[in-house]
Amino acid sequence: MVSGLQLSREDLTQAYRRMRRIRVFENALHAEFAAGEIPGFVHLYAGEEASGVGVCMHLDDRDAIASTHRGHGHCIAKGVETGPMMMEIFGREGGICGGKGGSMHIADLSRGMLGANGIVGAGGPLACGAALTAKTLGTGGVGVAFYGDGASNQGSILESYNLAKIWNLPMVFVCEDNGFAESTASSWSVGGSQIDRGKGFGIPSREVNGNDFFEVFNTAGEAIERARAGEGPTLLHMRLARYYGHFEGDAMTYKTAEEQATEKANDPLDFFRGRVIETQLLRQTDLDAVDAEIDAEIAEALAAAKAAPMPPTDQLTTDVYVSY
C-alpha cells in the first residue's frame, strides 16, 4: 500500500483540491445561510476535511459510502460535482436530487454516495447493505459508514457492528468524533472508548488524528485493503473538530473562544500545506493555484444556483411514491 507521503504530485494535489473544495463550499454556505438565501436546515463539515478525503481517496465507483446530516464534505470527497450540489441545497431544479432533498438528503448513486441522512445513525445499516451486495456479487467493493460520536450510541450502529462482524462484511466504520453530540461533550455522552467498543464486537479498531490527512490516508488504506481482501470490518475513531456550530444558527455557547482557537490552530488544510511544502512534495505556488481554481469554481456554482429556476409543480409527487 502506498503511504500518504509516497503519493504522486498529482494525487497530493488532488487531495488538497478536494479538501479545499469542501472548505470553500462550506464557507460559502455559511455566509449564504446567514443572509437568508438557503431554505431548510444546514450542517457544515468545515474542519473535518482530512477525514472524508483521506478515506475516500482510496475508493472508486465500486465502493459505497453512507453519510450523516453533515454530508456535504462526504459528497465532495467521493467525487460528487459541486454545481448540482449547490443547486440542491438552494432547492433548485438542476439539483442532484431535483432540488427536493436539500442539504440533508444529497445523494449520487452513480458515485456510490448513498446519501446524506437526517436520521441519526441510519448510515450504518445502509453501508452494511452495500457491503453485503459487494460481497455477494464479488465486485471487490467496500461499504463505508461515516457517523458521529453521538450516533455511536444508536442501536442501528451497534447492530451494524454485529452484522458486519458475523457476516464478515467488507466494511469500514468511520466515527467522526468532533467532540460534541450536538452540544453535549462526547467525553460525557459516549460513555467509554470507541476503540474498546469496537473490540467488544471483535472488530479491529484504531484511534486516528483526524486533522492529519496523512495519518487518515494511511490508516484508512490499511482498513480498506483489509476489507477488499475478505478480512472483514474495521472501526476508525477520528478525533477532529467542526468549526461551525452543530447547525447553522447554533451560537456554540458550549465552546469557549480559547477552545475554538485551539481547534483552528490544528487546521487540517494548514497541516497539509505545511507538510508538503516542508518535504518539497509540492510548492506553495502549486497550492495557491489550487486555491484560486476552487474559489472560482465555487463562486460559479453559487451564481448558477441562485439563477436556476425552482422545481416545476408537476414534479411535486415524483420520487415520493414507488410501485413495487
Side-chain angles (χ1 to χ4, degrees), residues 19-271:
M19 289 193 290
R20 177 71 180 177
R21 183 175 282 128
I22 294 168
R23 178 66 58 86
V24 177
F25 189 91
E26 298 293 64
N27 286 348
L29 293 183
H30 176 70
E32 293 297 325
F33 190 90
E37 295 292 329
I38 298 175
F41 237 33
V42 173
H43 305 74
L44 301 180
Y45 195 72
E48 305 186 12
E49 294 88 352
S51 173
V53 174
V55 172
C56 290
M57 283 285 289
H58 293 281
L59 305 179
D60 56 40
D61 289 350
R62 295 174 297 171
D63 307 309
I65 67 170
S67 184
T68 67
H69 53 279
R70 196 178 309 285
H72 312 154
H74 301 138
C75 283
I76 293 171
K78 193 63 169 67
V80 181
E81 295 182 9
T82 52
M85 282 180 61
M86 191 72 80
M87 289 188 182
E88 185 63 35
I89 292 166
F90 274 77
R92 303 306 172 104
E93 185 177 5
I96 195 75
C97 298
K100 298 192 294 180
S103 172
M104 287 197 286
H105 302 96
I106 296 176
D108 186 350
L109 300 186
S110 70
R111 294 286 187 175
M113 169 55 178
L114 300 180
N117 204 308
I119 301 172
V120 176
L126 294 175
C128 279
L132 178 59
T133 298
K135 180 177 180 179
T136 302
L137 298 179
T139 66
V142 172
V144 178
F146 290 97
Y147 55 98
D149 43 285
S152 69
N153 285 333
Q154 294 283 16
S156 54
I157 294 295
L158 300 174
E159 281 298 336
S160 295
Y161 294 162
N162 199 34
L163 291 173
K165 177 60 180 178
I166 291 172
W167 294 344
N168 196 44
L169 295 180
M171 273 287 299
V172 180
F173 294 97
V174 182
C175 178
E176 294 182 316
D177 184 352
N178 58 36
F180 291 90
E182 295 195 7
S183 58
T184 303
S186 58
S187 57
W188 184 87
S189 66
V190 172
S193 165
Q194 297 283 356
I195 301 305
D196 288 345
R197 187 176 294 188
K199 289 179 178 177
F201 284 87
I203 297 175
S205 305
R206 297 279 301 276
E207 190 94 18
V208 186
N209 177 4
N211 296 316
D212 181 349
F213 165 83
F214 299 98
E215 184 174 333
V216 174
F217 181 86
N218 293 342
T219 311
E222 293 170 2
I224 291 165
E225 191 173 270
R226 187 173 174 275
R228 292 202 201 282
E231 296 175 13
T234 302
L235 187 155
L236 304 179
H237 181 203
M238 302 287 183
R239 295 278 190 182
L240 36 70
R242 56 170 163 80
Y243 289 171
Y244 295 119
H246 170 70
F247 57 90
E248 285 303 276
D250 175 6
M252 281 204 298
T253 54
Y254 46 88
K255 279 189 188 182
T256 67
E258 292 77 13
E259 287 171 330
Q260 292 180 56
T262 298
E263 289 175 351
K264 292 186 179 179
N266 295 305
D267 185 280
L269 274 72
D270 290 344
F271 185 94

Side-chain angles (χ1 to χ4, degrees), residues 6-22:
Q6 293 174 319
L7 286 170
S8 67
R9 289 174 60 87
E10 291 75 15
D11 284 341
L12 286 169
T13 303
Q14 177 67 358
Y16 181 72
R17 181 177 286 111
R18 289 190 187 185
M19 289 193 290
R20 177 71 180 177
R21 183 175 282 128
I22 294 168

